Amino acid sequence: MDRSEWEMRMMANGRPAWVPPASVDPAREPVFHPRFLAEDIMSTLFDDLGGTGGHDEGGGGESGANGSSANGSSRPPD
């Protein structure tokens, strides 16, 4: 077992956090595993798009990210 001064705490949201010793971080801010941060970001990523023409709604005649036009053709106009 690790005998360092790091502490593991269960946070109010049920996620584990590691608290560094004061010699590493004088404020002793909890450190979370990146997976938990990614889950938080992914779960709220499109919350602000509700009904504003977000990623699932039609977007007019503009080119897509892969260069295709609204009619599905990737060929440039003549």
Side-chain angles (χ1 to χ4, degrees), residues 3-21:
R3 296 185 186 266
S4 69
E5 296 177 19
W6 285 75
E7 297 175 13
M8 195 287 287
R9 293 186 188 157
M10 292 301 289
M11 304 308 284
N13 62 7
R15 294 183 177 164
W18 286 263
V19 181

Side-chain angles (χ1 to χ4, degrees), residues 53-73:
H55 76 309
D56 285 337
E57 299 181 23
E62 300 173 16
S63 294
N66 63 357
S68 63
S69 65
N71 67 4
S73 170

